[in-house]
Amino acid sequence: MLGLDHAGTLLPVNINLGRPFLLMLGISFGSSLWAAGDSTPASTPPTSPATHRSPEPAIELPAIQVTKNRVHEIDVTITKLDKLIAREKKKVKSSELDKALNNSKLARSAAIFGGNSAEHLSAVAASRVSLLETERAVLEAMKRPATLQGLAMLEAELEQLRTTRRNLDNATR
């Protein structure tokens, strides 16, 4: 007799060996039910939507020329701006010599000659750094513009930033 020991009792069964078998059996049975429930016949070819509709004209988008030369020119300009930013960041913090020569009391009394205090020069340098960093961000955006109008807007913003930066020293005059 199978499965009985000498005393007539059932032998213990290792359940862990039966679980993978039951799992595979369930998966195969379940997948066959899903395949049997599929109601589309396999012999009919799919119809293309183009045969039922008239062809529509293609939409033509405006062409934006992104060439290696244009991107290279922007990269060269960004490199120059990085050097300017590094130079201006050094001017943000006034040195002891600058504080001594451009003392605020002396600058106020000699304002008729056009002198500025060290604090004012430091503030101008900080705003110039901010404008240069904004200009760098605009140049990065100009590498991959979305539309021609977007490119024109970025160029106008770039010109405005450059004009503001040039006129920064002339704001008090």
Side-chain angles (χ1 to χ4, degrees):
M1 295 195 14
L2 295 173
L4 296 176
D5 63 357
H6 297 292
T9 60
L10 290 174
L11 292 174
V13 178
N14 189 354
I15 297 175
N16 291 335
L17 294 177
R19 285 184 183 171
F21 175 72
L22 288 176
L23 180 64
M24 292 301 293
L25 182 66
I27 290 173
S28 64
F29 182 69
S31 64
S32 66
L33 286 179
W34 283 332
D38 194 12
S39 63
T40 58
S43 63
T44 59
T47 59
S48 68
T51 59
H52 296 292
R53 295 186 209 159
S54 63
E56 296 178 9
I59 298 173
E60 186 174 329
L61 297 175
I64 297 177
Q65 186 178 4
V66 180
T67 61
K68 183 179 177 181
N69 292 336
R70 188 173 82 75
V71 173
H72 180 69
E73 290 172 5
I74 291 174
D75 285 336
V76 168
T77 307
I78 288 174
T79 305
K80 289 179 184 178
L81 277 178
D82 287 340
K83 290 178 183 178
L84 279 173
I85 289 171
R87 193 177 309 145
E88 287 296 324
K89 280 186 178 180
K90 291 178 185 175
K91 295 179 184 178
V92 171
K93 186 176 179 185
S94 300
S95 65
E96 292 299 321
L97 179 64
D98 190 28
K99 288 179 184 177
L101 293 175
N102 296 320
N103 192 351
S104 61
K105 293 179 184 176
L106 181 63
R108 284 189 199 125
S109 62
I112 195 167
F113 300 116
N116 291 320
S117 66
E119 293 85 20
H120 174 74
L121 294 175
S122 176
V124 168
S127 59
R128 188 173 289 124
V129 167
S130 174
L131 288 171
L132 285 170
E133 288 174 347
T134 306
E135 187 175 334
R136 187 183 192 288
V138 170
L139 282 170
E140 284 289 335
M142 283 178 66
K143 283 184 179 179
R144 293 170 206 89
T147 61
L148 288 175
Q149 291 174 342
L151 181 63
M153 286 175 37
L154 288 173
E155 288 174 352
E157 184 178 354
L158 186 65
E159 258 327 292
Q160 182 65 32
L161 285 169
R162 288 178 178 166
T163 304
T164 304
R165 186 169 43 97
R166 277 193 301 264
N167 295 332
L168 198 58
D169 290 330
N170 299 333
T172 58
R173 293 181 188 160

